[in-house]
Amino acid sequence: MGSVWFILQYMSGFGNEHVSEDPRCPGALPEGQNNPQVCPYGLYAEQLSGSAFTCPRPTNKRSWLYRILPSVCHKPFKPLEEGHLTHNWDEVEPDPNQVTVPERAPGPARRTGLHTLCGAGEPRGRNGIAVHIFVCNTSMINRCLYNSDGDFLIVPQQGKLLITTEFGKMLVEPNEICVIQQGMRFSVEVFGETRGYILEVYGAHFELPDLGPIGANGLANPRDFLVPVAWYEDRQVPGGYTVISKYQGKLFAAQQDFSPFNVVAWHGNYTPYKYHLEKFMVINSVAFDHADPSIFTVLTAKSTRPGVAVADFVIFPPRWGVADNTFRPPYYHRNCMSEFMGLIKGHYEAKEEGFQPGGASLHSMMTPHGPDADCFEKASKAKLEPERVAEGTMAFMFESSLSLAVTKWGLQTSNQLDKNYYKCWEPLKSHFNPNCK
């Protein structure tokens, strides 16, 4: 197992036109065309389109795969009951209250699958998001999954993920993320108890945020995104290989007798990719006031309204705090966006107690939130010197312009739901004195 980590190779660049072929078959990519009458090595040419054919070039996404057998060779799909996936946002009555699961919930010894916590919109209309939790301690043996509904942004919180895709292999560890885009088949190998978060986006792909007056460099730099290199296996599976499709919010399974990871070469700009969160170049206030959290945006999935995202992936990494005459923790806030918070490691600066790695919180549209009473009192009296903030911590936020609904599973199965979350603000007291400015 250990040697696997050292042979993995990647190509660098976000959204680049990449070219890759397995070195065991040099010259597997056709010269000068995509779909020759006969492909090298007797391969089949197959295009994977991530956008409409007629999208403008900056948003046109596609890759050509050269494979031993085309992906169409499978038996019919049949419904598969597994996990707790849903896009039914009417399972429970709306509730605007702040919601938190302060730490990861325990469970049975053997678990696998995706469990939907909250979301909005729906995949048939190609507009919306869902937030899932994944838990597993068994690898996907002779099984793979692809998402017909949208893109998966995967945030491991515990355990390594060795992800095999049609484009090659990626090792993704806590403090890294990966994106598996719509339609891409992948299988996951794990090495013990593994869990994390998934942001699913329907109808849009993730992009790097515009930098505006920041300039040409900063935040998540394009060259730090890594794409796997071609790797294939020519493996027959007499007992059957299960291909799972997530389609219109449901799972379906089809059988075939060969591995789907039979792509010998590929080229294009529609790929899976990963990113290490420590590579993020933090921008922060160096004079006064607390900057808006949008300066911590790693990736965004844009809506049709300028400047408004269907979903943003935002992180709160270790950084320096130097602002003078400033309340340095996050400010009290009511937001026209929905904010789902998670914690990969460490202690979140605005709530150091009671919010543990693997936990989550949801602050719905226009529901007030902010530092708890202890944080406010401490930060209001602190001596303002240059200090490291969030050292050893990585918190993140899925922010959306959609009004998110919590699922029945999210409320009932998350048996550690903190019903007393609101009490962390109750000790806040009035400091108002009309005679003292």
Side-chain angles (χ1 to χ4, degrees):
M1 181 184 75
S3 62
V4 173
W5 316 145
F6 300 102
I7 62 174
L8 294 179
Q9 295 180 322
Y10 303 95
M11 296 175 288
S12 170
F14 186 89
N16 287 8
E17 287 284 343
H18 288 291
V19 175
S20 186
E21 58 185 24
D22 192 301
R24 291 172 287 177
C25 294
L29 282 168
E31 289 285 343
Q33 64 178 120
N34 296 322
N35 192 24
Q37 184 177 21
V38 178
C39 291
Y41 296 97
L43 299 171
Y44 288 85
E46 180 177 287
Q47 183 176 199
L48 178 62
S49 294
S51 65
F53 294 140
T54 52
C55 276
R57 280 188 181 247
T59 58
N60 205 301
K61 306 293 182 185
R62 58 85 187 93
S63 285
W64 280 91
L65 313 178
Y66 300 92
R67 55 196 321 151
I68 296 168
L69 278 174
S71 57
V72 73
C73 297
H74 60 77
K75 303 295 185 184
F77 284 99
K78 297 179 181 179
L80 176 67
E81 298 295 331
E82 190 171 284
H84 295 85
L85 282 176
T86 185
H87 66 273
N88 178 7
W89 313 123
D90 297 319
E91 292 180 324
V92 296
E93 289 297 312
D95 183 355
N97 285 305
Q98 304 97 338
V99 178
T100 184
V101 182
E103 55 185 304
R104 64 189 187 190
R110 184 185 185 280
R111 291 175 295 156
T112 185
L114 300 175
H115 310 276
T116 308
L117 276 179
C118 58
E122 58 92 30
R124 286 174 295 183
R126 308 295 294 124
N127 182 48
I129 73 166
V131 176
H132 312 287
I133 296 294
F134 71 86
V135 288
C136 59
N137 55 17
T138 56
S139 299
M140 298 171 66
I141 306 298
N142 291 333
R143 288 158 64 92
C144 73
L145 170 68
Y146 72 93
N147 187 357
S148 301
D149 295 335
D151 292 4
F152 280 153
L153 188 156
I154 301 172
V155 185
Q157 188 272 317
Q158 176 183 335
K160 298 183 176 91
L161 306 176
L162 181 59
I163 302 178
T164 300
T165 76
E166 296 170 278
F167 296 79
K169 292 176 178 283
M170 300 186 294
L171 178 67
V172 186
E173 304 184 53
N175 230 32
E176 293 183 308
I177 61 165
C178 73
V179 173
I180 309 291
Q181 302 195 76
Q182 183 186 13
M184 297 176 181
R185 298 181 176 190
F186 69 100
S187 182
V188 180
E189 185 177 353
V190 299
F191 309 97
E193 184 72 16
T194 306
R195 65 178 72 227
Y197 312 82
I198 295 179
L199 171 59
E200 180 182 14
V201 175
Y202 316 135
H205 296 301
F206 289 102
E207 306 174 34
L208 295 175
D210 295 326
L211 295 180
I214 291 175
N217 306 288
L219 308 187
N221 290 310
R223 71 169 185 164
D224 293 325
F225 289 82
L226 301 178
V227 173
V229 298
W231 176 90
Y232 77 91
E233 60 179 6
D234 185 8
R235 182 167 66 92
Q236 297 297 306
V237 187
Y241 196 104
T242 303
V243 177
I244 301 170
S245 171
K246 181 182 179 294
Y247 177 74
Q248 295 188 8
K250 303 289 186 180
L251 296 180
F252 298 84
Q255 297 296 312
Q256 60 188 50
D257 59 6
F258 62 95
S259 168
F261 305 118
N262 61 357
V263 177
V264 178
W266 61 266
H267 74 86
N269 64 354
Y270 189 55
T271 69
Y273 54 88
K274 75 169 198 168
Y275 175 76
H276 201 299
L277 300 180
E278 289 183 358
K279 300 282 189 181
F280 189 80
M281 178 185 156
V282 180
I283 304 292
N284 206 358
S285 172
V286 295
F288 60 87
D289 279 355
H290 191 292
D292 292 332
S294 50
I295 62 170
F296 300 126
T297 302
V298 179
L299 292 169
T300 184
K302 296 178 180 179
S303 74
T304 56
R305 290 176 290 165
V308 180
V310 173
D312 285 328
F313 174 62
V314 179
I315 63 173
F316 302 98
R319 59 199 183 274
W320 282 99
V322 298
D324 287 329
N325 193 30
T326 295
F327 182 78
R328 289 181 178 176
Y331 44 70
Y332 293 99
H333 195 203
R334 290 181 295 161
N335 196 355
C336 64
M337 309 281 276
S338 300
E339 301 180 12
F340 176 94
M341 290 283 300
L343 185 62
I344 299 171
K345 62 178 183 176
H347 300 277
Y348 180 52
E349 61 204 87
K351 189 174 175 58
E352 294 190 1
E353 301 297 329
F355 189 49
Q356 301 299 316
S361 68
L362 175 64
H363 297 145
S364 298
M365 282 186 175
M366 292 303 175
T367 296
H369 54 276
D372 61 22
D374 288 342
C375 178
F376 177 83
E377 292 298 329
K378 188 185 301 183
S380 298
K381 299 172 184 176
K383 185 177 180 181
L384 294 182
E385 298 177 331
E387 62 178 339
R388 290 292 289 170
V389 178
E391 196 69 34
T393 291
M394 188 60 75
F396 70 88
M397 178 170 64
F398 300 150
E399 186 175 57
S400 177
S401 59
L402 304 175
S403 186
L404 304 184
V406 179
T407 64
K408 185 177 181 181
W409 182 89
L411 288 179
Q412 294 183 352
T413 307
S414 297
N415 53 9
Q416 295 193 10
L417 194 71
D418 186 359
K419 300 184 186 304
N420 295 316
Y421 183 28
Y422 70 95
K423 291 184 178 180
C424 74
W425 295 291
E426 284 191 337
L428 289 167
K429 57 187 178 182
S430 173
H431 297 278
F432 177 66
N433 183 346
N435 299 315
C436 179
K437 185 176 178 181

